[in-house]
Amino acid sequence: MHHHSTSSSRAVVFGGGGSAGNAWLIGLVAGLTRGGVELANAELWVGTSAGATAAAQLAYRPPAELYEEILAQPTIPPRPGPTLDHLERVRSLSAASTDAADMRRRMGAAALALAENADGTAVGRWRATVAARLPSTDWPERRLLITAVDAHSGDPVMLERDSGLDLVDAVAASTSGGGTYRAGGRDLIDGGYLRNENADLAIGFDKVLVFSPLGGRTLHPLEWRMQLSAQVEDLEASGSSVQVVVPDAASLEAMGDNVMDLSRRPAVARAAFAQGESLAPQAAAFWNGR
């Protein structure tokens, strides 16, 4: 698995975390890029949930442009989120589960039950919403891995260029929230049910840079090893060097307690940009060093 060449093999991992998490990722990468950290030369990008959207956007457009767009968004009234209900549902389903695979099957069953009561147009509407956020329906040149979960089996699903789905379907599946997304004859649920980051997919790469909007936390029992620290342990045990970036105090304050609140995106992106700029020298030493 190891690449022993003069240059190191590198992977970037974009974790999930709602619309605020997406804004943090874009702002962070814009700040890092301004500070001279060039992420485009990584051999692998991994995107989960909101991180799948960010990775697909950043694969095609300069981070500064995406960042400016977030800052320019019209003022949106703050919205009290349904996130607490959602968190409670995740917690109670998790508590009833014997292990992570059982939990993913239960999440899938719950999402399929919701889908049965939907009017049948939900998938098309979500695809259109996601398509409007992405610069292309085609997979980018670089290797991009997007995560989802099979709603029936609970099995992990890795989507990439040769998986038979276009980029919009892959991102729409990975960001399907509490519902299901049907594509390629399969019912899929959000990649965040696998793990918020899925950094372990970068095993075999010399250097792994992980961006975790949710700060590496998990709602599940720690022995399931879904938290980021467990993924980092597995990466380091396999020989990878890992650098993790989580929101700093200013970014956390901007995010508040509802990651789905669109009104917070400009403030979150601004805080993340400053964080990226200040981290850039340290990140560049890690990323560009031998």
Side-chain angles (χ1 to χ4, degrees):
M1 285 294 274
H2 281 296
H3 310 263
H4 291 295
S5 60
T6 45
S7 65
S8 311
S9 61
R10 292 173 290 191
V12 187
V13 177
F14 296 86
S19 55
N22 173 270
W24 180 76
L25 290 165
I26 298 289
L28 183 76
V29 171
L32 285 168
T33 305
R34 164 78 57 89
V37 182
E38 196 45 74
L39 300 177
N41 51 26
E43 283 80 4
L44 173 70
W45 281 19
V46 176
T48 293
S49 205
T53 308
Q57 291 171 321
L58 288 161
Y60 280 103
R61 297 188 54 205
E65 246 177 57
L66 291 162
Y67 173 61
E68 292 299 333
E69 259 171 41
I70 295 174
L71 298 189
Q73 84 171 27
T75 305
I76 296 169
R79 119 177 168 200
T83 48
L84 287 176
D85 304 346
H86 179 63
L87 293 182
E88 275 319 305
R89 194 172 65 138
V90 173
R91 279 205 187 90
S92 63
L93 277 171
S94 182
S97 304
T98 52
D99 58 21
D102 184 40
M103 176 275 298
R104 292 194 298 266
R105 281 190 296 272
R106 287 169 189 259
M107 290 295 169
L112 287 163
L114 287 176
E116 277 176 22
N117 303 326
D119 59 6
T121 64
V123 165
R125 281 202 311 271
W126 185 236
R127 185 183 155 89
T129 298
V130 171
R133 298 172 178 168
L134 300 186
S136 175
T137 57
D138 295 324
W139 288 86
E141 284 305 304
R142 76 175 51 126
R143 184 164 177 229
L144 173 60
L145 200 53
I146 289 175
T147 60
V149 172
D150 184 289
H152 298 277
S153 66
D155 291 340
V157 177
M158 305 303 147
L159 300 168
E160 53 183 321
R161 185 199 305 273
D162 61 3
S163 55
L165 298 186
D166 71 14
L167 184 64
V168 177
D169 275 333
V171 173
S174 191
T175 56
S176 54
T180 56
Y181 186 81
R182 188 163 181 79
R186 280 195 292 193
D187 293 297
L188 302 171
I189 58 173
D190 201 295
Y193 289 126
L194 198 50
R195 288 180 185 82
N196 286 326
E197 303 83 16
N198 296 299
D200 49 301
L201 294 176
I203 282 178
F205 288 82
D206 298 316
K207 294 179 181 182
V208 184
L209 189 52
V210 185
F211 304 135
S212 176
L214 294 180
R217 297 187 304 279
T218 179
L219 293 170
H220 306 293
L222 294 183
E223 58 269 22
W224 291 4
R225 295 179 62 77
M226 289 177 71
Q227 66 277 19
L228 179 56
S229 57
Q231 300 165 48
V232 171
E233 265 172 41
D234 292 347
L235 279 163
E236 289 178 341
S238 78
S240 301
S241 301
V242 187
Q243 191 169 69
V244 169
V245 185
V246 300
D248 61 7
S251 295
L252 284 174
E253 191 181 331
M255 283 174 156
D257 55 5
N258 177 12
V259 294
M260 300 312 289
D261 186 345
L262 295 171
S263 71
R264 294 175 178 270
R265 281 172 58 83
V268 170
R270 226 176 246 116
F273 184 88
Q275 181 180 1
E277 268 198 313
S278 67
L279 270 177
Q282 183 193 340
F286 169 74
W287 197 239
N288 303 325
R290 280 277 167 259

